[in-house]
Amino acid sequence: MTETAFVDEYPEESRVIRAAFLGSFLALALGAFFGIVQALHRTDILRIFSSVDYYTILTAHGVFLVISFTIFFLVGVFTWATVRSLGRPVEDIRFTWLWYGLMSLGITITGLTILLGFVGSIDISADVLFTFYAPLQAHPLFYAGLVVFIIGTWLAGADWFRSWFAWRKENPDERIPLQTFMVLTTMLMWYIATTGIAVAVLAFLLPWSLGIVDTVNPLLTRTLFWFFGHPIVYFWLMPAYLLWYTVLPKISGGRLFSDPLARVVFVLFLLLSTPVGIHHQYLDPGIAEGFKFIAMTNTMFLLLPSLLTAFTVVASMEYGARQRGGTGLFGWLRALPWRDPAFTGMALAGLMFAAAGFSGMINAGMNINYLVHNTMWVPGHFHLTVGTAVTLTFMAGTYWLWPQISGKQLYSRPIALLQVVLWFVGMALMANAMHVQGLLGIPRRTAEPQYAGFEFETVFGSVAELNLQIAIGGTLLFVSTVLFLGNVVLTMGNPRADGVGETLPPALSGPDDAPQVLDNLALWTGIAIVLVVLAYALPLASIVTDRGLFGLGGRAFPVLLELGSGLLPAGLGDSAVALAEAIR
Ligand code: HEM
Ligand SMILES: [Cu+2]
């Protein structure tokens, strides 16, 4: 029996989903290019840009990958998941194109302001990194583009909610289909999280870069950024989770182990993602230790949904393997479809995510965080999470999904298999070396991590060897990206074929086993908001009463250097002040 492919049933929706994926892959291409550039630059192996441009490169790498690549892929997957699981087209495809258009317009504006940083003759730049808080300041268009982009994502969410309302009217007594449930809870989290960044940008950063207000309170913009900056990591992860819960069991040869557990996990993420952002600010002065400690405890609770996921997904895979004839305590592992790139990619992504959980625990612990903060350890950690768990799952997911939204067979499965393995190996090398460099105290975000006359002490091996690991790993990753993109492009050239449709089997323990209260989205949203208020009201109040909404005034650069100049010998102090004036 051949299934009708998604594209045959929903041709209009498939077109938007393909457009979203293509936007995502364009960002991936740009991001990977800047990734290899900076990996080779900071290891001093190949330098094709001046070190002065390093922040431009780093900003482009960060923004293109963690804002455009991830979120465009997400809106594609979520549109597919909602339409598929509700079994109905979107209510109005023009609205769907509207949000897609807004997102594309917004990110194009933001992306251009970053890239124009390379053009000396034009006075537009946005070297503010993807964590764009003060005191770094971008051209107003950078923030304006982000605003348009985020409004686009809000409307995308509205589109899915609209589908759900319409479906609900016709099916008043049914449980929310699992994939739609995942989409809706994730979007509720996103609405809560983005209020922080909307306030930061609209009330402070944008007016400041337009010159309407003279100063901002950097700690306030940092706190508002991380209010959003932590939950965004779950925004990246949730579409990967959606694929792990609903697609991975199927391609393993089985079914999801438990639908109710999956729902619990998504509700927990809705509740717990936002009230923890202060764990990125353990080293920020101006926030009391007590608030940091509360953020740490809340963070540790987030382990629960991750462990539940590990359990459910592995149990589903094992069930699949046993369906395929696997036996024994571990022997079933051999019965898994390792030749299928979609399976292998997702399985390897999940494995890396487990490693990331360990370095994440270290980040979360307040006192150990002091050791690794702002070192290479941190990029090491998130190249395992968003850089592999998410990215590799999206790549693997594409191999499974693209045929169904385009009606075309994948161009090459062997290349796809090689690609996912290369990503795994490349990341194992790069991220491992990054973690170790971090422990040696090697800083992140710098073109020149080696200071003149200073040696980093290693217990065994050498810094040169770690740099080589980063360079080799980074190169493998870049090659892997090229193989991925090439495979997709060649697939697009394939003729339309029949028999690419797939169905997703129901869970072993279905939605009827889940307590009804899980589907009460209003209740969970209410609790989530209460938790956010509990976690943030007092810290925000104290930040504002301490330093004022717009800070204490004064500019960062001259103030620091003038302070320093008093400590320096007379001549040197004067030149420091002159330098400060020049920079200003
Ligand atoms: C082609 C593969 C990649 C390579 C070679 C690469 C390399 C690097 C390197 C060396 C850094 C550290 C730069 C520094 O701190 O000085 C970095 C930072 C970063 N990477 Fe990647 N990366 C790759 C893929 C990815 C992916 C897939 C993601 C996310 C989806 C990602 C997200 C980031 C982010 C957010 C930063 C931090 C930017 C900042 O500090 O503002 N990277 N990358
Ligand atoms: Cu966090």
Side-chain angles (χ1 to χ4, degrees):
M1 184 186 78
T2 51
E3 302 293 337
T4 356
F6 184 86
V7 61
D8 297 325
E9 220 165 319
Y10 306 104
E12 293 289 327
E13 285 76 7
S14 295
R15 198 167 298 144
V16 187
I17 299 168
R18 288 200 305 272
F21 283 177
L22 288 178
S24 160
F25 300 154
L26 175 66
L28 177 65
L30 286 165
F33 169 71
F34 291 114
I36 185 71
V37 166
Q38 72 198 2
L40 297 179
H41 191 105
R42 56 169 291 142
T43 52
D44 206 8
I45 287 181
L46 173 72
R47 299 195 151 185
I48 54 177
F49 284 90
S50 140
S51 288
V52 177
D53 283 332
Y54 195 76
Y55 260 30
T56 312
I57 295 167
L58 196 51
T59 308
H61 179 72
V63 169
F64 285 132
L65 286 170
V66 298
I67 311 256
S68 2
F69 161 64
T70 48
I71 299 182
F72 269 98
F73 196 88
L74 173 143
V75 294
V77 167
F78 277 14
T79 303
W80 165 76
T82 315
V83 169
R84 193 208 70 85
S85 65
L86 294 177
R88 59 188 299 133
V90 298
E91 296 305 298
D92 181 352
I93 195 79
R94 287 168 307 177
F95 184 74
T96 309
W97 281 112
L98 171 73
W99 58 252
Y100 176 80
L102 282 177
M103 285 178 63
S104 308
L105 175 72
I107 204 67
T108 306
I109 296 173
T110 295
L112 280 178
T113 57
I114 300 171
L115 295 178
L116 284 175
F118 290 116
V119 186
S121 53
I122 301 176
D123 194 20
I124 293 184
S125 70
D127 304 335
V128 288
L129 311 176
F130 83 102
T131 50
F132 43 89
Y133 38 63
L136 296 182
Q137 192 189 57
H139 190 275
L141 283 176
F142 173 86
Y143 305 110
L146 279 180
V147 169
V148 175
F149 176 80
I150 291 198
I151 292 176
T153 64
W154 288 348
L155 296 185
D159 202 4
W160 304 320
F161 269 97
R162 202 171 154 191
S163 292
W164 174 58
F165 288 139
W167 176 89
R168 175 52 87 207
K169 237 189 243 138
E170 291 165 17
N171 305 276
D173 302 320
E174 276 191 52
R175 300 304 294 260
I176 310 174
L178 181 61
Q179 286 188 324
T180 302
F181 183 87
M182 294 172 159
V183 170
L184 300 182
T185 42
T186 305
M187 288 316 289
L188 289 169
M189 178 198 84
W190 182 242
Y191 286 122
I192 297 174
T194 45
T195 53
I197 205 65
V199 173
V201 168
L202 293 174
F204 302 108
L205 297 173
L206 191 53
W208 178 53
S209 75
L210 284 168
I212 298 172
V213 298
D214 281 341
T215 56
V216 290
N217 177 343
L219 183 58
L220 182 58
T221 70
R222 280 175 69 89
T223 308
L224 289 171
F225 179 86
W226 286 119
F227 178 96
F228 149 89
H230 183 77
I232 197 183
V233 311
Y234 292 102
F235 199 54
W236 303 328
L237 267 173
M238 290 305 102
Y241 272 35
L242 184 145
L243 294 172
W244 291 356
Y245 274 107
T246 62
V247 175
L248 186 56
K250 144 99 192 192
I251 54 186
S252 314
R255 293 154 65 174
L256 172 61
F257 191 65
S258 162
D259 167 306
L261 258 183
R263 284 176 207 252
V264 168
V265 165
F266 274 72
V267 166
L268 283 174
F269 279 121
L270 167 61
L271 297 182
L272 298 174
S273 297
T274 321
V276 299
I278 289 178
H279 69 206
H280 292 260
Q281 299 180 279
Y282 290 149
L283 275 171
D284 278 24
I287 298 180
E289 293 281 283
F291 296 139
K292 294 177 182 171
F293 192 82
I294 291 170
M296 172 167 83
T297 335
N298 289 348
T299 304
M300 298 303 175
F301 282 116
L302 269 170
L303 271 177
L304 182 64
S306 299
L307 291 174
L308 285 177
T309 300
F311 168 75
T312 319
V313 173
V314 173
S316 311
M317 280 172 28
E318 175 176 346
Y319 174 78
R322 294 198 190 279
Q323 292 303 301
R324 295 165 57 93
T327 49
L329 191 54
F330 292 109
W332 58 271
L333 281 168
R334 262 180 295 145
L336 287 166
W338 293 106
R339 285 169 175 280
D340 178 350
F343 171 80
T344 302
M346 286 193 208
L348 293 178
L351 203 61
M352 278 295 202
F353 194 54
F358 292 106
S359 57
M361 289 278 290
I362 305 238
N363 299 338
M366 212 159 126
N367 39 7
I368 323 185
N369 183 295
Y370 296 161
L371 186 72
V372 293
H373 195 86
N374 274 345
T375 68
M376 277 308 267
W377 171 283
V378 174
H381 164 72
F382 62 63
H383 280 93
L384 294 181
T385 56
V386 63
T388 302
V390 173
T391 304
L392 192 51
T393 299
F394 286 1
M395 290 166 158
T398 304
Y399 293 139
W400 187 81
L401 213 51
W402 190 271
Q404 296 169 64
I405 55 166
S406 70
K408 296 174 177 184
Q409 298 280 8
L410 182 64
Y411 176 74
S412 165
R413 273 165 65 107
I415 293 181
L417 194 58
L418 173 71
Q419 184 266 317
V420 296
V421 173
L422 268 186
W423 190 275
F424 183 82
V425 175
M427 205 52 102
L429 284 170
M430 185 172 95
N432 172 59
M434 283 174 157
H435 279 99
V436 180
Q437 286 202 340
L439 293 179
L440 303 178
I442 296 182
R444 67 185 283 209
R445 292 181 158 175
T446 167
E448 316 281 350
Q450 288 287 5
Y451 298 103
F454 183 88
E455 288 299 320
F456 290 102
E457 294 286 339
T458 53
V459 179
F460 65 87
S462 66
V463 171
E465 187 186 299
L466 293 169
N467 276 340
L468 198 62
Q469 260 190 63
I470 291 184
I472 295 175
T475 308
L476 294 181
L477 289 167
F478 183 73
V479 172
S480 170
T481 313
V482 171
L483 292 180
F484 171 74
L485 295 169
N487 214 345
V488 171
V489 170
L490 291 171
T491 301
M492 289 166 67
N494 272 349
R496 286 283 289 260
D498 285 336
V500 293
E502 299 265 5
T503 47
L504 296 177
L508 276 175
S509 162
D512 294 332
D513 297 335
Q516 195 72 42
V517 66
L518 279 176
D519 281 10
N520 188 342
L521 296 181
L523 171 72
W524 302 120
T525 311
I527 299 179
I529 292 173
V530 170
L531 290 177
V532 168
V533 171
L534 286 178
Y536 270 101
L538 290 177
L540 281 174
S542 98
I543 289 169
V544 173
T545 36
D546 263 10
R547 322 250 168 119
L549 263 183
F550 291 93
L552 299 174
R555 296 190 204 181
F557 291 113
V559 171
L560 274 177
L561 283 176
E562 276 158 23
L563 246 183
S565 70
L567 308 171
L568 297 171
L572 211 56
D574 289 347
S575 38
V577 173
L579 181 66
E581 290 302 322
I583 296 175
R584 173 150 65 173

